[in-house]
Amino acid sequence: MISLLRLASASLYSRRRTTGLMLCALTLSASLLFGIEKLRSELRSGAYAALQGIDLIVGARTAPEQLLLATVFQYGQLSTPLPWSTVEMLQRQPMVRYAIPLALGDSVAGLPAVGTTAAYFDHLGMTDTGALVFRAGRPFESEEEVVLGYQASQRLGKGLGDALVLSHGVGPQSFTDHDTHPLHVVGILAPTGTPLDQRILLSLEALAEAHGGHAEGGSPAPVSALFLGLQPKAAALALAAQLNRQGNPALTAALPAFTLAGLLRWVGGAETALQVMAAFTLLVALAGMLAMMLASLETRRRELAVLRALGAGFPTLLGLLLLESFLLVGMATALGLGLVHGGLTLAAPWLQDRTGLALQSLGPAPGEGLLVLALLAVAGLAGLIPATLGARRALQEGLAPPP
């Protein structure tokens, strides 16, 4: 086997120009395929990472998908606030470890401003303790203080001690600024690679002051939704069913992981389309390898015939030509994986500093192993045709002198 591997390597090296071109094409195609798989995996991991610490989302009656998008991904709006009595009722539930209120509807230069409590910083992080990590500063403690997500601080160009003014509405353009109540930055969060990086966090009292006073019913500000942490977590299903059946007030309780899985199924068609495009690109490269191997059979007739005359049987010649195919695709696969993961490893600090995108994992994507096996299987099928033809024709035509 070792001598066969050495012979296959020497044969490929003797045709190094065409082999090199074919290797480049296969490597680029493989890196595209692995890159799309890694991107798909990172997007899904980042989406689920945004749900850290959230067992249940409760808001006024709406679609669960809309509730999830508005509160976790800051997409869309919630027009109806929660009654403060409902907030207090949920806080008193024995299975509720913490209830984090969210007041939405304001922004700064298009970035969402979220009114909440200090519990937000204690429970919605990705550390073992559940706490959010600060790059600089501390949580807010008064009505004049605000905390910025990492990307928000970069886009606004704000640092500790800088002032900013809230604007009414969530769009990039606003005609109502709350300039009578400026806020001062006291903390900047470390990048998480989630929508949290684009948020501006302040207390409910600060949001109420910016709007000119307290809301009705004892609430510091109108609460759009609640993030609940439960103990045990399995209680989320029963509590969600109970709240969704409630009629007055009408509520929606969304199980975040279950709702997100449904949303990802909706966009699964786009993911599949990207994967199919990458697969077709790779198949074109494999077809080029097949064409190259078929064309080389004419120039290798005597080489194969000499090997046959020296005692190499049909299985040996077939194995030699198949091994060349596996070597070529194996090297392309290794180089493609190296390009994707090496590039991401080198670019990770730049991506984090420039865009706030923190990769959830620099390791292999879950589906990469299956892709490697599929590539090798297709390489075997692609190499089987020229291998069979070359092995069969070797003795019949190879020793005859050319006309």
Side-chain angles (χ1 to χ4, degrees), residues 203-260:
S203 67
L204 294 173
E205 293 77 11
L207 195 61
E209 285 295 324
H211 284 266
H214 290 265
E216 298 180 359
S219 171
V223 174
S224 305
L226 278 175
F227 287 160
L228 299 183
L230 306 178
Q231 186 64 37
K233 294 182 180 295
L237 190 60
L239 183 57
Q242 174 189 336
L243 296 176
N244 287 326
R245 287 195 303 265
Q246 185 171 311
N248 187 20
L251 301 175
T252 292
L255 297 162
F258 179 79
T259 306
L260 178 59

Side-chain angles (χ1 to χ4, degrees), residues 56-355:
L56 199 63
I57 308 173
V58 181
R61 184 59 53 86
T62 185
E65 294 80 10
Q66 178 59 29
L67 186 61
L68 175 73
L69 289 172
T71 56
V72 176
F73 299 102
Q74 313 302 153
Y75 184 81
Q77 301 184 50
L78 299 175
S79 57
T80 305
L82 277 174
W84 187 247
S85 59
T86 301
V87 175
E88 293 177 325
M89 179 271 291
L90 290 170
Q91 290 173 335
R92 292 193 299 266
Q93 295 295 315
M95 76 283 290
V96 175
R97 289 178 52 229
Y98 51 85
I100 302 174
L102 305 175
L104 310 174
D106 285 349
S107 63
V108 177
L111 296 172
V114 180
T116 186
T117 63
Y120 196 105
F121 304 105
D122 296 331
H123 300 292
L124 299 188
M126 288 180 282
T127 61
D128 293 337
T129 62
L132 286 171
V133 177
F134 277 78
R135 189 180 182 93
R138 56 172 176 81
F140 54 72
E141 296 176 354
S142 72
E143 299 175 359
E144 290 79 29
E145 296 178 344
V146 67
V147 173
L148 304 181
Y150 178 77
Q151 196 171 356
S153 71
Q154 297 294 306
R155 287 180 55 181
L156 296 174
K158 300 290 185 180
L160 297 182
D162 291 340
L164 55 80
V165 174
L166 296 181
S167 299
H168 189 65
V170 294
Q173 299 293 331
S174 176
F175 299 100
T176 305
D177 294 332
H178 303 299
D179 48 11
T180 58
H181 187 72
L183 301 166
H184 299 279
V185 179
V186 296
I188 297 173
L189 295 171
T192 63
T194 70
L196 173 61
D197 293 339
Q198 300 185 31
R199 289 181 195 156
I200 298 162
L201 303 172
L202 64 159
S203 67
L204 294 173
E205 293 77 11
L207 195 61
E209 285 295 324
H211 284 266
H214 290 265
E216 298 180 359
S219 171
V223 174
S224 305
L226 278 175
F227 287 160
L228 299 183
L230 306 178
Q231 186 64 37
K233 294 182 180 295
L237 190 60
L239 183 57
Q242 174 189 336
L243 296 176
N244 287 326
R245 287 195 303 265
Q246 185 171 311
N248 187 20
L251 301 175
T252 292
L255 297 162
F258 179 79
T259 306
L260 178 59
L263 286 173
L264 291 177
R265 281 195 297 271
W266 288 356
V267 300
E271 292 181 347
T272 303
L274 286 174
Q275 290 175 313
V276 168
M277 290 174 60
F280 269 121
T281 304
L282 186 60
L283 286 176
V284 169
L286 287 171
M289 181 191 75
L290 174 61
M292 180 197 75
M293 294 185 70
L294 287 172
S296 69
L297 290 180
E298 291 299 320
T299 60
R300 300 180 65 188
R301 286 189 306 165
R302 297 185 67 83
E303 171 196 344
L304 296 175
V306 168
L307 290 174
R308 188 74 178 264
L310 291 175
F314 177 81
T316 303
L317 293 177
L318 182 65
L320 173 66
L321 294 172
L322 275 176
L323 189 56
E324 291 181 9
S325 173
F326 281 122
L327 280 175
L328 196 56
V329 175
M331 287 189 293
T333 300
L335 289 172
L337 286 170
L339 279 175
V340 171
H341 292 284
L344 286 176
T345 301
L346 293 175
W350 182 85
L351 287 172
Q352 183 170 309
D353 289 336
R354 296 285 180 162
T355 68

